[in-house]
Amino acid sequence: MKRSSYIVLGVVSAIFVLSWVMKSMSLSEVDDSIMQGFLLTVSAFLTLSIFSFLYKDNPFYKFAEHLFVGVSAAFWMCQGFWSTLVGNLIPRVSESLSGFFMVPYQPGSFNFHYWIPVILGLLLLMRLAPKGGWLSRWPLAFIVGTTAGLNFIKYLRSDFIDQVSSTFVPLLGDETNKWTGVGDFFSNLSLSADSQFVALLANWVIFVGVFSGLVYFFFSKEHKGVFGVGSRVGIWILMITFGASFGYTVMGRISLLVGRLTFLFRDWLGLIS
Amino acid sequence: MKYMLRVLFSLVLFATTAVLAQTDVVESDSTTVVTEQTPAPVSMFEAKDKDNDHGHAFVLNWELSADDGAGLDNVLTYEVFRWTPNISDSIGIIDTLLNVAIVDNGPLNQTTATDAEQRIDSLMTAFLGPLANASAQEKGARLHELRAAYVERLAEVHSAYPANGYWRKIKVVPFGTTSCEDVGGKEPENSGYIPDFTDYYYRVDAVTADTLVRAESKIAGPVQSSGQWFNTGRVPVLCFVIIFTILTLYFVQAAKKGTDLYVRPLGGIEAVDDAIGRATEMGKPILYVLGLGSAADVATIASFTILGRVAKKVAEYQTELIVPTYDPIVMSVAQEVVKSAYYDAGRPDSYNEDTVFFVTQSQFAYVAAVNGIMLRDLPATNIYMGKFYAESLILAETGALAGSIQISGTDEIAQIPFFIVACDYTLIGEELYAASAYLGREPVLLGSLKAQDYAKAAIIILAIIGLIAGNLDWTGFTGLFEVTN
């Protein structure tokens, strides 16, 4: 390590300790104020370490990253073990193991189908054995095949049948906005949400959008001529949709940033009430 | 005499005043106390098994009370009751008490509002008394035994109707409602468990503002629930599955016979080979991110095919490949795919087990790790193919910052905009699926891609017919696309 690195580390450590002491003093009315002060300081330190990535990769970011990855990996492993194996499987298959893990044994609820995931799980672990690696392909095939089959039905309904039926829109107006002629249409022209113009426009956008979008995603024909025009309209409609979606999502992200800044300026520094 | 007349007059006056005063009071009372009149009960009340389900559910139908929206117009709600044997109530109380005991580890004198306190006390004494010093595990096991015994006796106690039971209110629906469903749990462990092939009885009360003034319907029952093997509400789905399967099989066979099935070039995929070449020339690795999807997601499955193609090229060019994964199952499949690609390229000795590795199943921890890889290993090419969520922009921005060529593809509509703005090439939605067929050139994939195209053509034709039908009120055609339940 360079001398400058030692200086930076020393300054950050000093700020950390100073923050811990000051937060503990400001939380003196709270029980366990020293621990609360420590946790708040650690949270602020990790938040700033992650933010430091905006400058460039650095040891503080690396520390926060490795801590985050390690803790989360361990957390999800423990969660899977205690909720799936101990919480669901063991009470149904073994009284002695239930006693060992201190979970209520459920006699009479034993079913053979609980052993199927156990066997598949063990087969999955066979990839660790030098000669039994091929066995791990069976559970993989089972998982991928079963869920692909289930998704086929799900998507056929949601992305095909429901989409087709949603395209059955009245292009000349429905009961509330019945078409009564060009004269009436122009004389009642309005941009209010319940006007005939807006209702018809919405239906035409659905109609044109669906058709041109489908043309764009048609892979068996080159996009030339009339087909090419339809395809270009399709990509324009897609891009306008993506632009709207982009703006909407960015606003959501801004609120996340505001949440972290609020933590830093209110909970840690106490600069805002 | 005069005196007598005066006394008599006074008496009459007093009596009249008293009577008038009494009348005033009555009139005054009658103006302040509003008494509801009993409404007419609902008619044609029936309970039946719910169609097209797995069982354990009933549908209740009735016709509105004559005083709902008409007549006295004083019906505010309909209260639905189910006849429930007392044994069910007892189990519910013990369950609640025991859960409180196990969770809080506290005293067992916390009561619920389900029954009288005395009843709860007696149940506690009878059931929990002998287990006062037992562990939480023993109490849990005892409750499980009790539940099993209760489930075994359910059919018997239900058949004893109306003895040893009571009417339990299960739903309250507003005026104007003519039907509701009573959907119970499937498993005996569920508190709302409704066993199949067991007699149930229902009643509906038309209730006024004064909840004591109500009209009971006739009893509907006995009725039994049962599951159906075939869901008739999903016949349209079955029809389209058959049509789509026939189309796929036809085109797969055509592809196997050597028929040339044209697929238009896709910009993003054409760039993959160039990007691998660039990485080889620069002597830098290629980063392949499979996203956060599971191995069963369609986008991840398509991504496996593209990974196979990329890994084969990488093996041929002897370039380094890095595949950090989010899901352990995805990692296993990806390892198999990459290994097979190295074998296909004739370089099994070059395959490194650490090419594909697991990071974590926490979304942003995974992003932090992949970002670190991008900035430390500086890959020449980043390929993002699969299912992505909020991490898409963070990954793509970091990759752009590191100066990598970036190719992305996802079917997550909300994330496509982020990839478009931050990546060099983006496969939009279904292009990702098409890319796997385009790269693989396998008959099965090409056949299914062709079948998809014909399905799209079918959508266009059906939608045009549907538009005409909708505008001309041909409900018969539009009804073909109604999928229920």
Side-chain angles (χ1 to χ4, degrees):
Chain A
M1 276 171 76
K2 292 179 191 171
R3 191 177 166 210
S4 58
S5 302
Y6 283 112
I7 293 170
V8 170
L9 195 63
V11 170
V12 171
S13 303
I15 293 172
F16 185 92
V17 173
L18 183 69
S19 162
W20 183 5
V21 172
M22 290 184 73
K23 278 317 291 182
S24 301
M25 286 167 68
S26 68
L27 294 169
S28 56
E29 293 172 1
V30 181
D31 290 342
D32 209 4
S33 61
I34 295 175
M35 178 55 83
Q36 291 301 321
F38 176 74
L39 291 176
L40 265 171
T41 307
V42 167
S43 304
F45 169 71
L46 292 175
T47 303
L48 290 173
S49 297
I50 294 289
F51 275 147
S52 71
F53 184 73
L54 293 170
Y55 169 59
K56 67 174 187 180
D57 193 23
N58 62 76
F60 294 108
Y61 175 76
K62 280 180 191 164
F63 172 75
E65 174 202 324
H66 287 103
L67 185 71
F68 195 9
V69 171
V71 168
S72 63
F75 172 79
W76 286 111
M77 201 202 83
C78 294
Q79 180 79 6
F81 179 77
W82 287 103
S83 65
T84 308
L85 291 181
V86 177
N88 284 320
L89 180 69
I90 286 174
R92 291 178 169 90
V93 296
S94 168
E95 188 172 2
S96 56
L97 280 175
S98 300
F100 179 75
F101 285 108
M102 298 174 73
V103 287
Y105 177 55
Q106 297 180 8
S109 65
F110 175 78
N111 279 312
F112 179 73
H113 64 247
Y114 286 111
W115 283 103
I116 296 172
V118 174
I119 294 166
L120 290 174
L122 290 173
L123 286 176
L124 206 55
L125 289 174
M126 287 302 286
R127 64 185 305 107
L128 300 172
K131 289 185 179 174
W134 59 276
L135 283 170
S136 68
R137 292 181 186 174
W138 290 5
L140 293 179
F142 178 81
I143 292 165
V144 175
T146 312
T147 17
L150 288 170
N151 282 340
F152 177 50
I153 304 297
K154 193 174 83 178
Y155 288 128
L156 192 74
R157 182 177 171 178
S158 63
D159 291 6
F160 187 91
I161 298 174
D162 290 352
Q163 285 278 358
V164 171
S165 56
S166 300
T167 317
F168 300 164
V169 288
L171 296 177
L172 294 175
D174 52 15
E175 286 301 316
T176 50
N177 290 302
K178 215 168 181 64
W179 181 260
T180 51
V182 179
D184 286 346
F185 177 75
F186 281 107
S187 58
N188 297 322
L189 202 62
S190 161
L191 286 176
S192 67
D194 55 350
S195 68
Q196 187 183 32
F197 172 70
V198 172
L200 288 184
L201 183 69
N203 289 346
W204 275 96
V205 166
I206 291 172
F207 172 70
V208 175
V210 169
F211 284 89
S212 53
L214 282 171
V215 168
Y216 175 76
F217 286 113
F218 205 79
F219 301 107
S220 300
K221 191 170 166 51
E222 221 168 333
H223 289 175
K224 285 180 180 173
V226 180
F227 213 72
V229 173
S231 167
R232 273 196 294 281
V233 173
I235 195 70
W236 269 96
I237 285 176
L238 286 173
M239 288 303 157
I240 292 166
T241 311
F242 292 150
S245 173
F246 184 88
Y248 180 78
T249 315
V250 165
M251 288 310 295
R253 302 293 161 79
I254 294 290
S255 71
L256 293 177
L257 175 66
V258 169
R260 284 330 289 167
L261 293 179
T262 306
F263 165 75
L264 288 177
F265 289 107
R266 187 185 64 192
D267 299 348
W268 183 47
L269 296 175
L271 294 178
I272 53 174
S273 58
Chain B
M1 187 64 185
K2 196 175 178 181
Y3 175 73
M4 287 295 287
L5 282 173
R6 192 177 290 173
V7 169
L8 189 63
F9 178 74
S10 301
L11 283 172
V12 170
L13 189 66
F14 177 76
T16 310
T17 311
V19 168
L20 281 174
Q22 187 66 35
T23 311
D24 282 344
V25 169
V26 171
E27 278 175 4
S28 171
D29 282 348
S30 68
T31 54
T32 53
V33 176
V34 179
T35 52
E36 287 285 1
Q37 292 185 44
T38 306
V42 301
S43 55
M44 308 295 284
F45 177 53
E46 60 163 5
K48 58 180 184 179
D49 176 39
K50 191 181 173 200
D51 287 334
N52 296 324
D53 68 346
H54 58 262
H56 314 284
F58 297 100
V59 177
L60 312 173
N61 295 309
W62 62 88
E63 286 187 2
L64 294 178
S65 157
D67 296 317
D68 180 355
L72 296 171
D73 197 11
N74 61 348
V75 175
L76 277 187
T77 56
Y78 292 104
E79 292 183 355
V80 183
F81 291 83
R82 182 174 69 202
W83 185 81
T84 308
N86 284 332
I87 186 173
S88 165
D89 198 30
S90 310
I91 283 287
I93 294 167
I94 293 168
D95 199 355
T96 309
L97 288 168
L98 206 57
N99 280 333
V100 168
I102 290 170
V103 172
D104 292 345
N105 250 345
L108 296 173
N109 58 359
Q110 297 182 45
T111 58
T112 65
T114 50
D115 209 341
E117 206 165 310
Q118 191 180 1
R119 181 169 163 69
I120 293 170
D121 286 342
S122 64
L123 281 167
M124 280 170 60
T125 311
F127 179 72
L128 297 173
L131 294 173
N133 298 319
S135 66
Q137 290 75 40
E138 286 170 325
K139 285 175 185 170
R142 178 76 183 96
L143 178 68
H144 190 80
E145 278 174 25
L146 201 69
R147 276 203 161 279
Y150 157 67
V151 169
E152 269 182 25
R153 284 196 58 204
L154 264 177
E156 176 196 334
V157 292
H158 272 264
S159 64
Y161 169 85
N164 197 24
Y166 69 103
W167 289 99
R168 170 180 280 181
K169 185 161 66 180
I170 55 166
K171 265 185 190 355
V172 179
V173 292
F175 61 89
T177 309
T178 56
S179 71
C180 76
E181 289 182 359
D182 183 20
V183 181
K186 279 197 298 185
E187 306 295 335
E189 289 84 12
N190 301 141
S191 56
Y193 175 60
I194 290 182
D196 281 345
F197 308 112
T198 303
D199 291 341
Y200 272 78
Y201 300 85
Y202 288 92
R203 192 189 88 203
V204 172
D205 288 3
V207 183
T208 63
D210 179 359
T211 53
L212 295 175
V213 182
R214 56 178 59 214
E216 295 180 5
S217 70
K218 69 180 179 68
I219 312 295
V223 58
Q224 297 188 342
S225 67
S226 62
Q228 284 76 47
W229 283 98
F230 193 85
N231 185 344
T232 53
R234 293 186 184 173
V235 169
V237 178
L238 176 69
C239 293
F240 284 112
V241 165
I242 292 169
I243 293 167
F244 194 75
T245 307
I246 291 170
L247 275 174
T248 306
L249 290 174
Y250 171 77
F251 284 110
V252 167
Q253 285 302 317
K256 279 182 178 171
K257 284 177 186 169
T259 310
D260 183 31
L261 299 177
Y262 173 78
V263 177
R264 72 172 167 84
L266 298 162
I269 284 303
E270 297 283 314
V272 168
D273 285 351
D274 297 340
I276 296 169
R278 178 178 183 262
T280 310
E281 284 172 9
M282 293 172 76
K284 288 184 174 178
I286 293 168
L287 177 70
Y288 194 102
V289 183
L290 284 148
L292 303 192
S294 70
D297 282 316
V298 186
T300 315
I301 293 171
S303 183
F304 287 140
T305 313
I306 299 168
L307 173 64
R309 163 79 172 189
V310 170
K312 194 176 173 188
K313 282 276 176 194
V314 161
E316 286 168 1
Y317 294 166
Q318 293 288 289
T319 312
E320 189 189 348
L321 179 66
I322 305 170
V323 189
T325 56
Y326 170 84
D327 185 286
I329 305 289
V330 169
M331 181 198 71
S332 303
V333 179
Q335 280 178 339
E336 290 294 328
V337 167
V338 173
K339 201 174 181 177
S340 300
Y342 272 76
Y343 274 85
D344 291 346
R347 294 187 179 276
D349 50 313
S350 302
Y351 174 67
N352 181 359
E353 285 284 349
D354 296 331
T355 298
V356 184
F357 57 95
F358 173 71
V359 180
T360 174
Q361 276 199 290
S362 171
Q363 182 185 19
F364 289 105
Y366 175 75
V367 176
V370 176
N371 279 356
I373 292 168
M374 283 181 196
L375 290 184
R376 279 157 226 152
D377 295 347
L378 295 172
T381 306
N382 298 333
I383 302 175
Y384 313 103
M385 298 278 176
K387 217 160 186 63
F388 291 85
Y389 299 98
E391 74 286 353
S392 60
L393 186 60
I394 308 172
L395 291 173
E397 268 301 311
T398 310
L401 200 71
S404 312
I405 290 280
Q406 302 201 98
I407 303 166
S408 60
T410 184
D411 59 358
E412 273 299 311
I413 306 293
Q415 306 308 323
I416 293 171
F418 298 117
F419 279 142
I420 288 174
V421 296
C423 293
D424 300 281
Y425 299 95
T426 301
L427 297 174
I428 301 169
E430 208 183 332
E431 284 182 337
L432 175 65
Y433 314 147
S436 62
Y438 182 77
L439 283 173
R441 307 299 298 183
E442 288 174 27
V444 175
L445 292 175
L446 277 177
S448 65
L449 184 64
K450 281 284 165 186
Q452 279 176 45
D453 273 1
Y454 275 78
K456 280 172 223 154
I459 291 178
I460 293 174
I461 294 164
L462 289 172
I464 290 172
I465 298 171
L467 275 170
I468 297 166
N471 282 288
L472 297 176
D473 290 334
W474 296 344
T475 50
F477 181 79
T478 52
L480 291 175
F481 295 88
E482 282 176 11
V483 180
T484 54
N485 191 18

